[in-house]
Every structure is written in C-alpha cells, then in structure tokens.
Amino acid sequence: GATGAPSHVMRGHNERVDAVTLNVDASRVYSTSWDKSIREWDAASGECFRTLLGHTDGVNSVCLSANGKYLYSGSMDKTVGVWD
C-alpha cells in the first residue's frame, strides 16, 4: 500500500532524471537523464542492468514501441535515438 515513501529508490544517474516509462508487462523501467544516458532497470529489484549511451546532450523523453522491440529517446542534442 501507499505509505508516502517509495518502496525502493533506483540510483545511478549523475544528473537529474527527466522521464520514466515502463515496458508492457511492467517488469522493466527506463529512465532518462541530463547525464546523457538512458538506464534500464529491473522493476522488482531496482537493479540497473543496462546503460544506453549515444546522445551528446541530456535525454528528456523516452517511450517504447507497441511491440516492445524498440526504445525511442528524445534529447536536447536535437536527435531521436532508436534502440533495440
């Protein structure tokens, strides 16, 4: 139940976090940050198991394709990243 505090906190970004999204079955969490990275987390444990790098400026949006095959990220570097 809601207690007013998170059940766990996912730590790893070095700058502010701008966006978070879940995959279809809510087993994975994706976060974007001004540190130019996207992180993929295990939703249950909070463990980060993949960091995506490639943007040259902060990443401020993220979404998954309907089939969950592709991850799209928008960045202040004026690009959209497509990740598989």
Side-chain angles (χ1 to χ4, degrees):
T3 63
S7 60
H8 56 273
V9 176
M10 299 170 182
R11 297 187 192 281
H13 285 294
N14 298 316
E15 300 278 344
R16 87 180 224 186
V17 174
D18 261 1
V20 175
T21 195
L22 297 168
N23 68 342
V24 175
D25 69 4
S27 63
R28 299 286 184 253
V29 177
Y30 301 88
S31 59
T32 68
S33 173
W34 282 29
D35 67 8
K36 307 175 190 172
S37 74
I38 303 153
R39 291 185 177 258
E40 184 175 1
W41 310 82
D42 180 271
S45 70
E47 177 186 353
C48 178
F49 60 89
R50 184 164 71 146
T51 301
L52 302 171
L53 301 172
H55 284 292
T56 59
D57 207 343
V59 187
N60 50 13
S61 63
V62 65
C63 69
L64 283 166
S65 60
N67 65 3
K69 185 175 178 181
Y70 299 103
L71 182 75
Y72 298 89
S73 57
S75 171
M76 292 181 288
D77 66 13
K78 303 176 188 164
T79 66
V80 174
V82 182
W83 314 82
D84 56 16

